[in-house]
Amino acid sequence: MSLLDTRERRRTPPTPPPVAARPGLGRRIRAAKWSYLYLAPMAVLLLAFVVYPIFASFGYTFYRWNGIGEPGNYVGLANFRQILSDSIFWGAVEHTFVYAFVLVPVQLLLALALALVLNNPKLKFALFFRTVYFIPVVTSAAVVGVVIQLMLANFGDSAGSLLAKTGMTDGHIDWLGDPHTALAVIIAIGIWHTLGYNLVYFLAGLQTIPAELYEAAKLDGCGPVQSFFRITIPMLRQVGVVIVVLAFIGSFQVFDLVQVLTGGGPYFATEVVNTYIYHLAFGGSAGAAAEPDIGLASAASFLYGLLLIVFSALQVLALRGISRRRTAAGQ
Amino acid sequence: MSTLSQRPRLRTRLSLRRGRRGLLYLALFGGGLVWLYPFLWALGSSLKSTDGFFSGGLNPIPSEFHWSNYSEAWTQADFSKFFVNTVLFATGTVIVTLLATSMAGYVLARTDFPGKKIWLGLVGVTLFLPHGYTIIPVFDLIQRLHLLNTLWSVVIVQSAGGMVFGTFLFMGYFTTIDRGLEDAARVDGANFHQIFWRIMLPLSGPMLATVGLFACINAWNSFFIPLVFTLSRPELHTLSVGMFNFIGQNSTAWTLVCAGSVITLLPIVLIFIVLQRFFINGLAGAVKQ
């Protein structure tokens, strides 16, 4: 009842003047009490299990701590110093960036090409193909990783011996065991695994382009290639920015696939930042520290977080600059 | 009718002449085969004999069918228990995620309140931060809440991870719903709760399906969270965790591992195929806005 009353009161001035004085903060907060209540479950879960842990783990960066009991051994900035001087950390950063900067362009080009083809209403089985190319997305990297590992193992007519028959190689290739091929194989599997997302995103973007534009272009004598560069690409720009940003965020967080396929090996050749952090925190053969060290792991993830924030800011600025310049040019 | 509206589009898309069309279908089917090959191979290998597995290599077709691999894997690895756990875990995650993200998405899209912009900024920033490593403070928190080694802990932590994406999807969806609808309801005397539960939520069926399916797929495939929070209670393990222990114990019984993989992957792939219309359209809607 009282709720209804307040709303009635708010509604009474039929058309509030555009520059009406805003009511006080206290009153606005009270008026929005149900909004806060509805936001609360999401806010509590996010704050408690995502935001708070990020800050809490920053607290661990000053301790040498194996995760058991309370952190006690205060070491100041020593953890940061150790991480920054660890070549394995920088190797992991490099591998993560190689992963992202190879995977994202290749995958996006593949996805765009596939989306252009599947967007053709004349194409038969379009829904079937869309489903087929999307299926790896809904399967877990962990289980798929095991299956692919078995496929690549040198049993019977393996991929290695098939290549040997064509005379391209001398036989047994240890795809994931060879430091020269392991990262490339992981990138290829990464492209396979998440292509479906970008395919769907591009299809959505293509469907927002009005058909009249293509029609008009055709009347003006534009061929398919020209209308692709003159219409499709510019019209996809906004969606494209979102797709690129999401693809990079996903790639920078790569973990499951690497952990299952190689665990970061051989000889750290596929160690990415998240597996590096994992090995520091929980131990494991490939890690820099044999003993689990939460402090070191937290320091590494804090530094990586900083790096990602800087990179994301640069990315957003660059993309914004590009779209602004294009709009200014009258596109 | 539909052909009329499609015709202008047809002419402008890559024109498909006969020969080129054949090549195109060949490429699409070929690519599709590559895309599905690991699944076909796992399915085939799960039916091979052990010898057949080692000599078969990349050939997915078994020379003889060993259906017993499935019953053997199922009983050896306690898959029936893991299956029930996974279903409970996924269902709980879907319910918590849908409730929390639809409510939050609604108020963020439709109401104005002090602090909204700050909150949205904070939520956006969390997207970029790596948080896989924060498992230690989360573990600590769960322990203090006395929820360790319960399915609740797994549900809560897993749901929390899906909050941002789900909320953004609902936000986008609710902003597209006509405001006149709410105004009309308000004039008829509906209050805040009635507008949300009786009008907005029932209208958001497609987005409920999308976010729900998303939460379900992620929960089903989740490995790290259920592993960490049920470490000392193996009877609470989910399929993917159970699968892994199974591999550890059967490092040579690869045909059984393949059967286990199929058991783990098949339900979620089937759910996806049945509901894929919602999932793909919902995801697409998220990017369009």
Side-chain angles (χ1 to χ4, degrees):
Chain A
M1 259 300 134
S2 64
L3 184 77
L4 207 77
D5 290 342
T6 54
R7 189 167 307 108
E8 282 308 312
R9 220 179 302 138
R10 236 194 297 152
R11 291 183 62 83
T12 14
T15 40
V19 254
R22 288 180 101 186
L25 183 67
R27 180 178 291 187
R28 281 194 294 140
I29 289 179
R30 247 173 292 130
K33 62 182 172 192
W34 294 121
S35 296
Y36 291 117
L37 193 77
Y38 274 47
L39 189 63
M42 181 260 189
V44 167
L45 283 174
L46 190 72
L47 287 174
F49 295 105
V50 178
V51 178
Y52 157 77
I54 292 173
F55 289 102
S57 65
F58 180 68
Y60 300 146
T61 58
F62 304 110
Y63 294 91
R64 187 125 295 171
W65 180 44
N66 62 6
I68 299 162
E70 294 287 319
N73 188 5
Y74 184 84
V75 293
L77 292 173
N79 284 333
F80 287 103
R81 239 174 281 136
Q82 187 172 336
I83 295 294
L84 284 173
S85 61
D86 185 357
S87 61
I88 299 173
F89 172 73
W90 291 112
V93 171
E94 190 193 318
H95 298 145
T96 312
F97 275 71
V98 168
Y99 179 88
F101 279 91
V102 174
L103 178 137
V104 172
V106 172
Q107 190 183 55
L108 292 190
L109 283 178
L110 265 180
L112 179 60
L114 201 55
L116 283 171
V117 172
L118 294 187
N119 194 42
N120 191 323
K122 223 181 190 173
L123 188 87
K124 292 195 184 84
F125 316 114
L127 184 71
F128 168 76
F129 287 124
R130 203 173 69 163
T131 311
V132 162
Y133 287 102
F134 200 83
I135 278 182
V137 172
V138 304
T139 57
S140 82
V143 176
V144 160
V146 171
V147 170
I148 291 183
Q149 224 179 343
L150 287 177
M151 286 177 76
L152 291 179
N154 289 305
F155 304 138
D157 279 332
S158 65
S161 60
L162 286 180
L163 274 180
K165 270 178 204 158
T166 64
M168 281 163 70
T169 60
D170 60 352
H172 288 284
I173 299 175
D174 194 359
W175 298 98
L176 291 165
D178 184 335
H180 301 292
T181 55
L183 189 60
V185 171
I186 287 179
I187 292 173
I189 298 170
I191 290 171
W192 169 81
H193 193 232
T194 52
L195 179 96
Y197 275 128
N198 295 315
L199 169 64
V200 169
Y201 290 159
F202 276 127
L203 274 172
L206 288 176
Q207 270 149 27
T208 61
I209 303 177
E212 294 80 49
L213 279 181
Y214 290 104
E215 229 180 314
K218 184 133 196 186
L219 285 178
D220 288 346
C222 265
V225 177
Q226 249 183 323
S227 57
F228 172 74
F229 283 106
R230 295 282 170 86
I231 300 173
T232 313
I233 290 290
M235 291 297 282
L236 275 182
R237 203 168 53 223
Q238 271 195 326
V239 175
V241 169
V242 179
I243 296 175
V244 170
V245 171
L246 285 178
F248 271 113
I249 291 177
S251 304
F252 287 137
Q253 307 285 356
V254 60
F255 173 73
D256 289 19
L257 212 54
V258 178
Q259 181 64 19
V260 174
L261 286 169
T262 62
Y267 312 110
F268 309 112
T270 59
E271 188 87 297
V272 289
V273 178
N274 274 341
T275 56
Y276 174 81
I277 293 167
Y278 175 82
H279 291 138
L280 286 181
F282 299 96
S285 53
E291 241 330 70
D293 194 323
I294 304 299
L296 271 180
S298 301
S301 48
F302 178 79
L303 289 172
Y304 187 55
L306 275 187
L307 205 64
L308 284 193
I309 289 175
V310 171
F311 178 78
S312 306
L314 287 178
Q315 199 184 351
V316 169
L317 285 178
L319 290 170
R320 223 182 245 174
I322 290 171
S323 56
R324 231 181 245 150
R325 217 174 309 134
R326 291 253 177 95
T327 1
Q331 275 266 348
Chain B
M1 199 171 69
S2 63
T3 43
L4 240 177
S5 65
Q6 281 174 357
R7 198 175 295 147
R9 276 179 96 161
L10 296 187
R11 270 189 274 137
T12 53
R13 302 285 168 202
L14 304 166
S15 60
L16 301 175
R17 303 255 165 67
R18 282 243 172 94
R20 269 209 274 168
R21 198 191 300 174
L23 275 179
L24 190 64
Y25 281 110
L26 203 67
L28 281 173
F29 275 110
L33 190 65
V34 170
W35 241 246
L36 289 187
Y37 204 81
F39 302 107
L40 298 176
W41 184 84
L43 192 64
S45 300
S46 69
L47 296 169
K48 288 175 183 168
S49 66
T50 311
D51 286 346
F53 177 85
F54 283 107
S55 59
L58 282 177
N59 180 3
I61 300 159
S63 48
E64 43 189 311
F65 289 82
H66 285 248
W67 296 100
S68 60
N69 285 344
Y70 278 88
S71 52
E72 218 172 304
W74 186 273
T75 49
Q76 268 193 30
D78 232 347
F79 271 124
S80 52
K81 202 179 278 169
F82 300 150
F83 208 91
V84 173
N85 288 339
T86 312
V87 170
L88 288 177
F89 166 47
T91 313
T93 306
V94 167
I95 291 172
V96 173
T97 306
L98 284 184
L99 278 177
T101 58
S102 65
M103 282 160 55
Y106 172 66
V107 296
L108 288 172
R110 279 303 214 233
T111 67
D112 197 21
F113 53 88
K116 183 169 129 177
K117 285 207 176 118
I118 299 172
W119 179 249
L120 281 175
L122 180 76
V123 169
V125 168
T126 60
L127 264 182
F128 291 97
L129 296 173
H131 29 76
Y133 66 93
T134 55
I135 198 77
I136 298 293
V138 172
F139 189 85
D140 201 37
L141 197 61
I142 287 291
Q143 201 164 25
R144 279 167 211 261
L145 292 169
H146 299 288
L147 287 174
L148 203 58
N149 291 316
T150 62
L151 270 182
W152 282 115
S153 64
V154 192
V155 167
I156 290 172
V157 177
Q158 175 76 30
S159 307
M163 288 291 107
V164 173
F165 197 62
T167 302
F168 275 133
L169 285 180
F170 271 110
M171 248 176 84
Y173 190 81
F174 282 128
T175 45
T176 62
I177 295 182
D178 184 13
R179 246 178 213 284
L181 223 59
E182 273 167 285
D183 293 335
R186 219 168 271 140
V187 170
D188 287 346
N191 64 28
F192 190 94
H193 310 292
Q194 286 166 331
I195 289 176
F196 178 71
W197 295 101
R198 300 250 181 100
I199 298 171
M200 299 306 267
L201 202 59
L203 276 177
S204 58
M207 198 38 80
L208 286 169
T210 306
V211 177
L213 196 53
F214 208 99
C216 180
I217 288 171
N218 282 343
W220 196 278
N221 292 332
S222 184
F223 171 65
F224 197 45
I225 291 170
L227 172 72
V228 170
F229 293 105
T230 60
L231 268 179
S232 50
R233 291 273 301 276
E235 71 272 22
L236 288 180
H237 282 173
T238 55
L239 277 175
S240 48
V241 178
M243 234 311 266
F244 257 77
N245 295 338
F246 187 55
I247 293 171
Q249 293 153 11
N250 297 272
S251 48
T252 49
W254 294 123
T255 54
L256 298 193
V257 168
C258 286
S261 306
V262 174
I263 293 172
T264 309
L265 293 180
L266 200 60
I268 198 68
V269 170
L270 289 181
I271 289 176
F272 164 71
I273 289 175
V274 172
L275 297 175
Q276 58 112 343
R277 195 161 50 93
F278 296 108
F279 190 56
I280 289 183
N281 291 344
L283 268 189
V287 174
K288 257 190 253 180
Q289 280 130 24

